[in-house]
Amino acid sequence: MTALEQYFGGLSDKRVGVIGAGVSNMPLIRMLRAAGVKVTVHDKKQPTELGDGYATLATLGVDFVLGEHYLDALDEDVIFRTPGVHPRFLEKARENGSEITSEMELFFSVCPCPIIGITGSDGKTTTTTLVSEILKHAGYTVHLGGNIGTPLLPRVNEMTENDLAVVELSSFQLMGMKHSPHIAAITNLTPNHLDYHKDFDEYVQAKTAIYRSQKEDDRLVLNLDDAVTRSLRASGNLFCTSKTQELANGVFLKDDILYIAEGGVRRELMPASDIRIPGAHNVYNMMMAAAIVQGYATDDDIRAVATTFGGVEHRIEFVRELDGVKYYNDSIASSPTRTIAGLESFQQKVILIAGGYDKHIPYDVLGEPICAHVKSLILTGATAPKIRDCVLAVEGEHPPIIEVENLETAVREAQAQAQEGDVVIMSPASASFDRFKNFMERGKLFKTLVNNLESIG
């Protein structure tokens, strides 16, 4: 009997609550019901708003608590928290004896193979994908998931102890986590998701849960060039990355060459200029990936992926060239620092489409980079006024600023302004939740709009 089967068996005489009736929770609910577990689904939406999902769940035989007061009656023995619901809303249930857990917490407790977990404010998706590609090149069966890809829990029974699970973890998923991966990595920490977290300290506390339960033989990878991650202390073995200093244990950059150092002995890995994906931020991502895979992959595996990997979808993704204008999709850039990295990836000033959902994070850091790297700024969404104000606060010249109603209008306006040789990039510096389910949906719409443009030459 597998660990997952044993866990479900232990729920046979318990009542289980699952918060959230969305697609992401459907595999968990199916597994619970297949094991004969009594399940109550709590969701803010009404049956008509859930659409086909409601009928599917009803067929599975679950009970429902729906509507505005969906969290009021939480009294099940075990409650699976969806990442979108802050743990503070579940304190009363916890105090009354409910066990609060999550799909990710359960995955960590039953996964039969080593887990590599990656988090951070910026770069985690690219880093996670690079790690997965390097490990696959090294011959491993890799299970990629978490905040990227597909749910991992339904695949547990397919995994063996010789496989590797590579998991991208958000601060939402990490809050309250009592398990840590064998290898944990934090790319950097800057203010983010302050619409969800009460302050930056809580955000950092959530992120650092990734390593707080590590054991002595586990490893933590940190970016020493980031002020916050530099201040963290590992409970396991520490391995680091840096562009500014030579390291005794880690991956560092010196004179455009990446080096790997272990026990004070360094070896040359590759020229940073050989990394295929552009941008200084991707040198950091590659360094982080190289540090994470130590002990699992060879330097040849790392070089093979570094020189061929073209990047992840929605991250400075080339979409099309029309009338001599190149269009790029950077929808994954949901914070100012990611947009700054995107702008700095180009040698010329660009036409920037930005704006979206307001996560209540500061935008003042964005003003000067926009003035330095943007020839025309097109804004849309709730954060448009914040971005406009941070640009106008900069002394000196500002790019023209145009505010539009939606992304469709923004793309048409960008085409109208662009001349041969220009670059147009959508890099929102904001989350997508004002108008889209996620950044992928936003990016796909942008690509569709760009590909539907007709030549005006």
Side-chain angles (χ1 to χ4, degrees):
M1 182 180 292
T2 67
L4 183 59
E5 290 168 340
Q6 287 180 326
Y7 178 83
F8 284 150
L11 297 178
S12 61
D13 60 345
K14 298 182 183 296
R15 296 178 303 118
V16 173
V18 177
I19 301 176
V23 174
S24 60
N25 269 341
M26 200 64 74
L28 171 64
I29 297 169
R30 288 185 186 278
M31 295 172 73
L32 288 165
R33 290 299 298 133
V37 178
K38 181 176 175 56
V39 176
T40 299
V41 173
H42 298 255
D43 198 286
K44 189 174 184 179
K45 295 179 179 179
Q46 296 290 349
T48 53
E49 296 175 288
L50 293 174
D52 294 341
Y54 179 81
T56 300
L57 291 170
T59 302
L60 292 175
V62 306
D63 295 325
F64 294 95
V65 176
L66 304 177
E68 286 292 326
H69 301 286
Y70 72 112
L71 296 179
D72 292 356
L74 287 170
D75 64 352
E76 291 84 7
D77 301 305
V78 179
I79 298 171
F80 283 87
R81 177 182 74 88
T82 187
V85 173
H86 196 288
R88 67 174 173 269
F89 295 112
L90 310 180
E91 280 306 311
K92 182 178 178 181
R94 189 192 303 274
E95 291 170 1
N96 289 335
S98 296
E99 175 190 344
I100 310 299
T101 187
S102 67
E103 179 188 30
M104 188 55 64
E105 187 91 37
L106 175 56
F107 171 73
F108 268 68
S109 67
V110 300
C111 179
C113 62
I115 300 174
I116 296 171
I118 299 157
T119 195
S121 301
D122 306 317
K124 57 184 178 293
T125 297
T126 298
T127 301
T128 302
T129 307
L130 282 167
V131 169
S132 176
E133 293 299 312
I134 293 168
L135 294 174
K136 285 192 286 187
H137 192 276
Y140 287 94
T141 297
V142 178
H143 304 277
L144 177 65
N147 203 43
I148 182 176
T150 58
L152 289 169
L153 190 62
R155 293 152 52 190
V156 162
N157 289 336
E158 306 168 14
M159 302 178 186
T160 74
E161 61 183 13
N162 297 318
D163 298 346
L164 291 171
V166 179
V167 186
E168 179 187 318
L169 294 163
S170 69
S171 61
F172 307 156
Q173 292 169 314
L174 285 166
M175 286 203 78
M177 280 280 283
K178 300 298 189 294
H179 293 83
S180 291
H182 172 54
I183 299 176
I186 305 178
T187 60
N188 71 330
L189 290 172
T190 59
N192 208 343
H193 298 297
L194 298 186
D195 58 324
Y196 180 93
H197 297 287
K198 65 180 181 181
D199 52 32
F200 183 55
D201 286 342
E202 183 185 273
Y203 174 71
V204 172
Q205 280 296 108
K207 289 290 194 180
T208 53
I210 196 172
Y211 73 85
R212 283 201 296 271
S213 298
Q214 281 194 310
K215 302 176 178 61
E216 286 187 8
D217 58 344
D218 292 336
R219 178 157 34 106
L220 174 63
V221 181
L222 295 176
N223 171 11
L224 290 189
D225 296 341
D226 177 78
V228 180
T229 55
R230 185 169 59 245
S231 69
L232 304 178
R233 294 293 177 264
S235 50
N237 299 306
L238 185 61
F239 208 70
C240 296
T241 66
S242 178
K243 280 186 177 183
T244 62
Q245 58 183 298
E246 296 186 32
L247 304 175
N249 289 287
V251 179
F252 65 91
L253 179 71
K254 182 178 182 181
D255 300 328
D256 193 50
I257 302 294
L258 294 185
Y259 293 91
I260 299 175
E262 295 180 275
V265 179
R266 76 180 191 184
R267 63 184 187 273
E268 182 177 324
L269 178 62
M270 63 183 295
S273 55
D274 284 354
I275 298 171
R276 183 180 172 188
I277 42 177
H281 60 292
N282 280 318
V283 176
Y284 270 117
N285 294 337
M286 193 67 242
M287 293 167 65
M288 184 68 62
I292 290 168
V293 301
Q294 292 305 300
Y296 290 99
T298 68
D299 293 357
D300 286 339
D301 294 318
I302 298 170
R303 284 188 287 264
V305 172
T307 55
T308 59
F309 178 72
V312 299
E313 187 180 14
H314 309 298
R315 185 68 186 121
I316 318 183
E317 175 192 9
F318 176 69
V319 180
R320 181 188 187 190
E321 182 171 345
L322 178 66
D323 296 330
V325 178
K326 293 180 179 178
Y327 293 82
Y328 290 85
N329 165 33
D330 197 30
S331 184
I332 202 171
S334 60
S335 66
T337 50
R338 293 320 294 166
T339 292
I340 292 169
L343 295 176
E344 292 177 345
S345 297
F346 296 93
Q347 298 298 314
Q348 65 190 86
K349 287 193 173 184
V350 304
I351 296 171
L352 172 65
I353 299 172
Y357 176 77
D358 190 355
K359 296 187 288 184
H360 304 301
I361 59 178
Y363 278 83
D364 53 320
V365 297
L366 196 54
E368 290 188 3
I370 285 180
C371 291
H373 297 282
V374 174
K375 65 179 293 186
S376 184
L377 177 61
I378 302 170
L379 297 174
T380 184
T383 59
K386 284 188 172 183
I387 299 173
R388 178 198 62 217
D389 291 348
C390 81
V391 173
L392 295 179
V394 177
E395 294 184 5
E397 294 187 7
H398 312 114
I401 302 174
I402 301 170
E403 294 187 43
V404 298
E405 184 177 352
N406 53 43
L407 187 56
E408 291 84 351
T409 308
V411 170
R412 290 196 299 270
E413 183 63 36
Q415 183 189 27
Q417 292 193 34
Q419 300 175 342
E420 184 176 352
D422 277 344
V423 167
V424 173
I425 181 170
M426 180 190 68
S427 187
S430 313
S432 57
F433 309 129
D434 55 339
R435 298 171 183 172
F436 306 95
K437 292 179 181 178
N438 49 49
F439 73 84
M440 293 88 78
E441 184 178 88
R442 176 173 61 189
K444 289 182 186 299
L445 175 60
F446 175 75
K447 290 193 288 184
T448 297
L449 294 170
V450 169
N451 284 322
N452 285 342
L453 290 174
E454 296 182 357
S455 173
I456 56 176

